[in-house]
Amino acid sequence: PRQSRKRKSLAIAYEGDGAEPPRAPWEPRDWREQLERIREMRSSRDAPVDEMGVQKCYDSSAPPQVMRYQVLLALMLSSQTKDQVTSAAMLRLRRRGLTVDSVLQMDEETLGQIIYPVGFWRNKVKYIKQTTAILKQKYGGDIPGTVEELVQLPGVGPKMAHLAMHIAWDSVAGIAVDTHVHRISNRLKWVKKETKYPEETRVALEEWLPRDLWKEINWLLVGFGQQTCLPVNPRCSQCLNQDICPAAKRL
């Protein structure tokens, strides 16, 4: 009888079919300290993105629907374009009354003259005209309220869609990853393994970064990338993370 009781207790002790205990979720080494130091370096808010970023390009006094349209247009113009150039192009557009109807009434040549010299301006003229027509026909002149619908619009990629959700709809659906966020995340080893494309980086970051930081991270890293963690010749000697950045000694 004793033996059978012992066997029974052993069976209960090993219940669970030999499954391993759950592991702690992965997170990068020193990331909290790195983030805090980046916040300190960004405290002056004097990077181009702070003064001329998309969040500064729309008319905040416009009706909400017009404001959201202007946000989306600024994002479309900003691709492969410096903030200063995007800001100037948006100012020229707004002087002509920037609405869905005004853009639909404008011919492509005029639109091109206004937005030049933004990067790939000829393609953007076509995308803006196509997207604006869709917004008028399908969304009553407003912009879609989901990432899934936004990325279906001509010339709108995932980064733009997430930023449009942040800025236009005040909704955090995911992390907006541009070239700065992509580059810095890889340099700091904020991804488990090196990523080649911004969309890969977005997925990797969202796996571990607390959701309450998703909105802030784009703004922080873009400005940091514009001023300190440059694409070429980063200013490591001026960076507060120099001692805990995996890339600092190599660069």
Side-chain angles (χ1 to χ4, degrees), residues 99-207:
T99 65
V100 164
D101 289 333
S102 71
V103 170
L104 288 176
Q105 290 162 12
M106 200 181 294
D107 61 69
E108 290 193 6
E109 185 180 352
T110 302
L111 181 57
Q113 289 170 353
I114 296 171
I115 69 170
Y116 180 84
V118 299
F120 303 100
W121 64 273
R122 288 186 179 86
N123 288 336
K124 289 176 182 177
V125 165
K126 294 173 185 173
Y127 291 147
I128 287 170
K129 293 289 281 185
Q130 290 168 3
T131 286
T132 304
I134 292 169
L135 298 180
K136 178 76 171 177
Q137 293 160 11
K138 191 173 178 182
Y139 298 98
D142 208 338
I143 73 169
T146 68
V147 168
E148 291 73 21
E149 290 173 292
L150 283 163
V151 295
Q152 297 300 314
L153 297 169
V156 178
K159 179 209 78 172
M160 298 180 209
H162 285 294
L163 279 175
M165 293 300 295
H166 293 184
I167 301 167
W169 292 110
D170 194 25
S171 172
V172 181
I175 299 171
V177 176
D178 70 345
T179 54
H180 294 290
V181 179
H182 171 65
R183 175 179 75 253
I184 294 165
S185 295
N186 276 277
R187 284 180 177 173
L188 290 173
K189 302 292 186 191
W190 282 7
V191 288
K192 273 186 188 179
K193 59 180 182 179
E194 186 178 355
T195 53
K196 292 185 177 180
Y197 307 104
E199 189 60 6
E200 284 181 80
T201 304
R202 180 187 66 79
V203 173
L205 286 174
E206 287 179 5
E207 284 180 357

Side-chain angles (χ1 to χ4, degrees), residues 41-114:
M41 287 184 278
R42 293 282 287 113
S43 61
S44 59
R45 294 173 177 258
D46 55 1
V49 69
D50 301 307
E51 297 168 359
M52 289 167 282
V54 168
Q55 78 284 357
K56 298 282 190 180
C57 287
Y58 64 88
D59 180 3
S60 58
S61 66
Q65 187 168 306
V66 174
M67 178 272 289
R68 289 191 286 267
Y69 175 65
Q70 292 184 2
V71 168
L72 184 62
L73 239 63
L75 287 165
M76 293 175 73
L77 293 175
S78 70
S79 175
Q80 304 291 309
T81 304
K82 290 185 180 297
D83 288 328
Q84 298 91 322
V85 177
T86 301
S87 177
M90 281 296 294
L91 193 58
R92 292 192 296 272
L93 282 168
R94 284 172 52 191
R95 282 179 183 149
R96 297 178 67 105
L98 181 51
T99 65
V100 164
D101 289 333
S102 71
V103 170
L104 288 176
Q105 290 162 12
M106 200 181 294
D107 61 69
E108 290 193 6
E109 185 180 352
T110 302
L111 181 57
Q113 289 170 353
I114 296 171

